[in-house]
Amino acid sequence: MAGSSIFDPELAISHKFPETTFTYNERDVALYALGIGACVGDALDEKELKYVYHMDGQPSIQVLPSFAALFTLGAAGSIQQLPGLQFDPRLLLHGQQYIEIYKPLPTSGCMQNKVAVSGLHDKGKATVVEMDTVSYDKESGEPLCMNRMTIYLRGAGGFSKPSAPYSCSKYPANQISPVKIPKSQPFAVYEDCTQESQALLYRLSGDYNPLHSDPKIAEIAGFSRPILHGLCTLGFAVRAIIKCICNGEPTKVKSIMGRFLLHVYPGETLITEMWLDGTRVLYQTKVKERNRTVLSGYVGLHHLTSLM
């Protein structure tokens, strides 16, 4: 538990992190697409082959918008730089990811990342930290996207008075709209089978947490075997929405929000249900074998082409 005598939340909120860079090329983009299931069920899928191959003479492959989540790799570790905050890294949970896409991501490039604490909340038994990463094209200085990672630090709460728990958000209250999954029948449903090796493939995009590859580490964490990365599951859901709602056009996506609810085991079947809500697509993803909801959220679109 963080004590108020050693942890000043105002210092944490104003903490200046060093800037980082993230360099990638077309091979990384294609590997990511394969890692989130593109072309796995059908290697000839016209709506997905463009993520891994130069179709019809196109000069470069297309980039899935959820690729932007890779720019935040290492952001969770930056929390350890916050002065006075004490927590057990093994009790860290990635609770939510929010992404805004300002411009279509280039097939290759070098991103300059500026990280800042955008929210800090004392939940008593836990501390919730929200980290914003704004990614700029290093050559032009143009902002391309923003990621907000919500992280739960179990056992690190209680740094403020229970009668007035500390809570601060440095972003507009309406920036992330709440999601209530409708009880009506979904507009579209997409079923995807993850592979037994899915986590081993996805980890090659840069997340080498052994929880997703080492059986002994997974067992210590309370799982029967290694689990799939939450951002991999999010990638599956976003890809399903692009395929079913956006007619395979990734540039229609302007924002993504996903709340991680439960783990997925590689090899399980993901069923993503979708509902239209103006220019948003509300969704939830379930594991077919266990009939459990593992992910929910929305994808904001620039416009919604008539689907009727």
Side-chain angles (χ1 to χ4, degrees):
M1 179 177 292
S4 58
S5 61
I6 61 171
F7 179 59
D8 183 344
E10 296 300 330
L11 285 179
I13 284 287
S14 60
H15 182 74
K16 300 296 183 183
F17 295 92
E19 293 186 9
T20 62
T21 58
F22 183 93
T23 303
Y24 67 95
N25 56 32
E26 188 172 87
R27 181 180 182 278
D28 299 315
V29 171
L31 185 61
Y32 171 81
L34 294 172
I36 63 168
C39 295
V40 170
D42 181 4
L44 304 180
D45 191 327
E46 292 184 356
K47 291 183 178 179
E48 297 196 333
L49 192 56
K50 59 190 175 184
Y51 302 134
V52 297
Y53 178 70
H54 295 206
M55 288 185 63
D56 302 323
Q58 65 186 30
S60 59
I61 61 176
Q62 292 194 31
V63 186
L64 284 153
S66 54
F67 180 79
L70 298 187
F71 302 161
T72 65
L73 290 176
S78 299
I79 294 179
Q80 295 180 331
Q81 301 175 25
L82 294 179
L85 182 61
Q86 300 176 4
F87 66 95
D88 185 342
R90 296 173 298 179
L91 300 179
L92 182 152
L93 292 176
H94 186 181
Q96 184 171 292
Q97 189 84 5
Y98 173 69
I99 305 171
E100 287 187 352
I101 305 294
Y102 305 140
K103 286 185 174 282
L105 302 176
T107 308
S108 62
C110 181
M111 298 294 109
Q112 191 81 22
N113 295 320
K114 297 181 179 180
V115 181
V117 175
S118 58
L120 182 65
H121 314 277
D122 185 356
K123 298 297 183 179
K125 294 184 179 180
T127 291
V128 176
V129 183
E130 296 169 292
M131 306 279 289
D132 279 10
T133 301
V134 181
S135 300
Y136 301 80
D137 181 276
K138 188 174 182 180
E139 185 174 341
S140 68
E142 186 177 29
L144 297 183
C145 63
M146 183 274 285
N147 277 269
R148 178 171 299 129
M149 178 185 293
T150 301
I151 300 168
Y152 290 81
L153 303 176
R154 293 174 291 171
F159 59 81
S160 58
K161 295 180 179 179
S163 58
Y166 184 90
S167 183
C168 175
S169 296
K170 296 168 63 177
Y171 54 86
N174 63 351
Q175 189 176 58
I176 300 180
S177 305
V179 174
K180 184 176 181 180
I181 299 299
K183 295 183 179 180
S184 59
Q185 289 295 313
F187 178 83
V189 179
Y190 190 77
E191 184 171 313
D192 238 341
C193 290
T194 66
Q195 305 298 305
E196 292 284 346
S197 59
Q198 202 73 56
L200 298 176
L201 177 59
Y202 182 82
R203 74 189 294 269
L204 299 180
S205 287
D207 188 341
Y208 298 109
N209 186 336
L211 177 63
H212 308 292
S213 55
D214 191 319
K216 292 182 179 179
I217 297 295
E219 184 178 358
I220 292 173
F223 300 103
S224 61
R225 52 196 171 98
I227 62 174
L228 195 62
H229 307 67
L231 287 176
C232 181
T233 304
L234 179 63
F236 267 85
V238 172
R239 185 174 57 78
I241 291 168
I242 292 172
K243 191 170 186 178
C244 296
I245 306 296
C246 302
N247 194 32
E249 292 299 328
T251 56
K252 291 184 178 180
V253 173
K254 69 175 182 179
S255 62
I256 298 166
M257 195 281 282
R259 182 171 289 116
F260 307 113
L261 305 174
L262 195 65
H263 62 279
V264 174
Y265 289 116
E268 290 187 314
T269 305
L270 299 178
I271 298 177
T272 299
E273 301 172 331
M274 309 161 222
W275 292 263
L276 303 183
D277 178 33
T279 55
R280 296 196 311 174
V281 180
L282 309 181
Y283 72 89
Q284 66 178 5
T285 300
K286 298 179 179 179
V287 165
K288 184 177 183 179
E289 290 79 0
R290 289 179 283 140
N291 193 29
R292 300 289 299 275
T293 301
V294 297
L295 176 72
S296 68
Y298 67 83
V299 170
L301 306 178
H302 289 290
H303 57 85
L304 195 60
T305 306
S306 176
L307 299 168
M308 306 305 289

